[in-house]
């Protein structure tokens, strides 16, 4: 009753009066657990530490020992003291194999190992947790952590499998969101950008109400840009701003808003510089030959002209057929078409920007 009303002072007095009179019995255990749970919920960690230390000095050889070990270890995890937490979890798991805390001890010991960057033991514990408690609500979170560990170890295929499994075993939307976004990012980094886009589209379709859609659209736009679909990137971001701009909890909207104008200017400069570069190469064959043959001049030129797109630089530096096409291009009748196309593209960019 006192716990539900959050009258913790009265709960403390009730607990102390009872324990001082009756010692450690089943009712004492329950009163201690009520207090410990209340302290954790309210983040009164110092009060819980003091209570555990006091009772450990008085009741360590009673039926409360198991509870004191667990709650002491839990507050150590919550305050970042992972090594002493692991030691107490070990005692509970070894001395009380049928404890009501066994499941939570195993899971939090895994988290503690991960906090110490002991990924080998963290992987062992998370794997054991998933095998021993396959239907537990924390299974999905454990799968996500296993994905992170696999990715750290360079086992990207396994990492993707773990991230994919997360939504099957948890209703925690924060972890579902994170699993999709992390999976998509990994796919992109592995060169599987189309798969990364499909992952985000699946997320948008499955979680239209509860998912962090503005985050999904933010990454979806950037992935489209990575594939050269610049107009798609702007359309996706502008539509997302229209849909979520009035919701102050959608923090990623700010990123899209502040990035639009610089991105537009950057792409416009890149496009103009690239077209001018190609045009000049067509008109100045001597400079074109020097750029192809003189590596030092090539290096200084592209260093000074950094607005030229990376794609054009790549083709010029790495693609012999591209360079030959530039060298053999018939200028007389084609530059007018190039100018018309350039003007048309700039008009399209300007219209979309507006």
């Amino acid at each position: 009753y006192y716990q539900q009303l959050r009258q913790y002072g009265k709960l403390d007095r009730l607990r102390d009066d009872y324990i001082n009179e009756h010692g450690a019995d089943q009712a004492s255990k329950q009163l201690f657990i009520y207090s410990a749970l209340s302290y954790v919920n309210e983040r009164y960690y110092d009060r819980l530490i003091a209570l555990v230390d006091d009772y450990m000095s008085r009741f360590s050889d009673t039926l409360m020992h198991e509870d004191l070990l667990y709650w002491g270890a839990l507050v150590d995890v919550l305050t970042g003291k992972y090594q002493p937490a692991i030691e107490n979890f070990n005692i509970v798991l070894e001395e009380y194999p049928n404890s009501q805390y066994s499941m939570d001890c195993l899971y939090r010991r895994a988290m503690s190992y991960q906090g110490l960057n002991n990924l080998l033991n963290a992987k062992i514990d998370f794997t054991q947790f998933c095998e021993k408690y396959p239907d537990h609500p924390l299974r999905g979170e454990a799968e996500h952590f296993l994905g992170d560990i696999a990715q750290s170890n360079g086992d990207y295929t396994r990492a993707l499998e773990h991230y994919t499994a997360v939504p099957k075993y948890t209703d925690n939307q924060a972890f579902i969101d994170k699993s999709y976004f992390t999976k998509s990012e990994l796919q992109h980094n592995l060169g599987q950008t189309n798969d990364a886009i499909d992952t985000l589209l699946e997320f948008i379709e499955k979680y239209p109400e509860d998912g962090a859609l503005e985050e999904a659209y933010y990454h979806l736009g950037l992935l489209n840009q990575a594939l050269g679909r610049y107009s798609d990137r702007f359309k996706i971001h502008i539509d997302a701003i229209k849909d979520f701009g009035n919701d102050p909890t959608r923090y990623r909207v700010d990123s899209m808003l502040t990035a639009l104008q610089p991105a537009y200017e950057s792409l416009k400069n890149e496009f103009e510089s690239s077209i001018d570069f190609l045009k000049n190469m067509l008109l100045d064959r001597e400079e074109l030959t020097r750029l192809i043959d003189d590596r030092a001049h090539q290096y200084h030129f592209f260093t000074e002209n950094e607005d030229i797109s990376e794609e054009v630089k790549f083709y010029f530096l790495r693609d012999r057929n591209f360079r030959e096409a530039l060298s053999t291009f018939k200028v007389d009748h084609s530059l007018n078409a190039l100018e018309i196309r350039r003007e048309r593209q700039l008009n399209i960019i300007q219209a979309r920007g507006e």
Side-chain angles (χ1 to χ4, degrees):
Y1 174 77
Y2 289 147
Q3 183 191 35
Q4 291 175 351
L5 295 179
R6 301 175 68 181
Q7 296 180 355
Y8 301 128
K10 292 182 179 180
L11 175 59
D12 291 346
R13 287 192 293 274
L14 175 65
R15 180 200 66 231
D16 291 341
D17 289 345
Y18 183 90
I19 290 179
N20 288 336
E21 180 177 352
H22 299 280
D25 59 15
Q26 287 295 334
S28 301
K29 279 172 60 76
Q30 196 60 47
L31 286 169
F32 168 74
I33 292 171
Y34 281 143
S35 296
L37 183 60
S38 301
Y39 291 160
V40 169
N41 288 340
E42 299 294 337
R43 299 187 179 182
Y44 296 157
Y45 299 144
D46 290 341
R47 292 171 68 174
L48 179 54
I49 291 171
L51 182 63
V52 169
D53 288 345
D54 176 32
Y55 282 14
M56 189 65 80
S57 66
R58 297 162 57 190
F59 307 118
S60 61
D61 57 349
T62 70
L63 75 171
M64 292 181 65
H65 185 227
E66 169 191 355
D67 307 282
L68 296 171
L69 286 170
Y70 168 76
W71 289 99
L74 177 60
V75 77
D76 281 338
V77 172
L78 297 174
T79 54
K81 302 173 184 175
Y82 299 120
Q83 190 56 49
I86 290 171
E87 294 170 2
N88 281 336
F89 287 139
N90 287 342
I91 296 174
V92 175
L93 291 170
E94 292 170 7
E95 295 188 7
Y96 303 95
N98 298 318
S99 170
Q100 63 176 324
Y101 302 116
S102 294
M103 179 278 301
D104 205 58
C105 284
L106 180 59
Y107 181 80
R108 294 187 185 276
R109 187 175 70 178
M111 293 185 64
S112 299
Y113 279 128
Q114 191 169 29
L116 293 175
N117 203 34
N118 186 337
L119 300 185
L120 176 59
N121 282 335
K123 177 182 177 181
I124 292 171
D125 276 358
F126 279 129
T127 301
Q128 183 181 351
F129 179 87
C130 292
E131 293 173 350
K132 194 171 182 178
Y133 308 102
D135 299 320
H136 194 277
L138 290 175
R139 162 87 184 268
E141 298 178 24
E143 292 283 357
H144 183 86
F145 291 131
L146 283 169
D148 289 344
I149 293 170
Q151 187 172 178
S152 297
N153 292 333
D155 189 352
Y156 302 123
T157 300
R158 190 65 178 147
L160 291 173
E161 291 174 357
H162 284 301
Y163 294 138
T164 301
V166 172
K168 300 176 184 177
Y169 299 109
T170 185
D171 294 326
N172 187 325
Q173 190 63 49
F175 270 88
I176 293 173
D177 294 354
K178 192 175 181 182
S179 68
Y180 271 96
F181 301 150
T182 308
K183 176 184 175 181
S184 177
E185 181 182 11
L186 177 56
Q187 288 172 319
H188 172 58
N189 292 338
L190 294 174
Q192 304 167 10
T193 304
N194 285 314
D195 291 339
I197 289 175
D198 289 342
T199 296
L200 293 178
L201 292 175
E202 177 186 307
F203 172 80
I204 292 168
E205 181 180 354
K206 283 189 174 181
Y207 306 98
E209 301 296 332
D210 301 322
L213 295 188
E214 80 289 355
E215 187 78 20
Y217 284 122
Y218 172 75
H219 293 293
L220 186 61
L222 296 183
L223 290 174
N224 274 274
Q225 178 172 311
L227 292 177
R229 303 168 187 166
Y230 299 106
S231 60
D232 289 345
R233 177 262 172 102
F234 283 108
K235 184 179 187 306
I236 289 167
H237 283 186
I238 289 171
D239 288 346
I241 290 168
K242 290 177 181 178
D243 290 340
F244 305 110
N246 291 327
D247 186 345
T249 65
R250 304 283 189 169
Y251 301 110
R252 184 57 83 175
V253 172
D254 293 342
S255 301
M256 288 186 276
L257 275 170
T258 56
L260 273 179
Q261 181 64 22
Y264 164 74
E265 292 295 338
S266 175
L267 289 171
K268 181 173 179 289
N269 291 338
E270 181 180 293
F271 180 78
E272 291 177 337
S273 298
S274 299
I275 292 294
D276 287 341
F277 165 70
L278 293 174
K279 175 183 172 182
N280 291 334
M281 290 302 98
L282 294 175
L283 293 173
D284 191 343
R285 299 303 175 127
E286 183 179 344
E287 176 65 10
L288 174 61
T289 301
R290 188 182 175 196
L291 266 181
I292 293 175
D293 297 336
D294 188 339
R295 292 300 179 88
H297 179 61
Q298 187 183 96
Y299 172 79
H300 289 296
F301 178 87
F302 284 115
T303 301
E304 293 173 359
N305 295 273
E306 57 184 19
D307 286 341
I308 298 172
S309 77
E310 293 300 320
E311 185 179 14
V312 170
K313 291 179 187 177
F314 174 83
Y315 279 114
F316 186 86
L317 297 173
R318 305 296 181 192
D319 191 326
R320 178 177 299 175
N321 292 331
F322 182 79
R323 293 194 297 271
E324 289 180 357
L326 281 176
S327 302
T328 58
F329 191 81
K330 294 182 180 180
V331 176
D332 294 339
H333 62 82
S334 301
L335 273 183
N336 285 336
L338 185 65
E339 282 294 322
I340 292 171
R341 177 173 173 78
R342 176 178 182 274
E343 186 65 29
R344 184 183 303 152
Q345 292 285 0
L346 287 176
N347 289 338
I348 292 172
I349 289 177
Q350 182 66 35
R352 287 174 177 164
E354 292 171 354

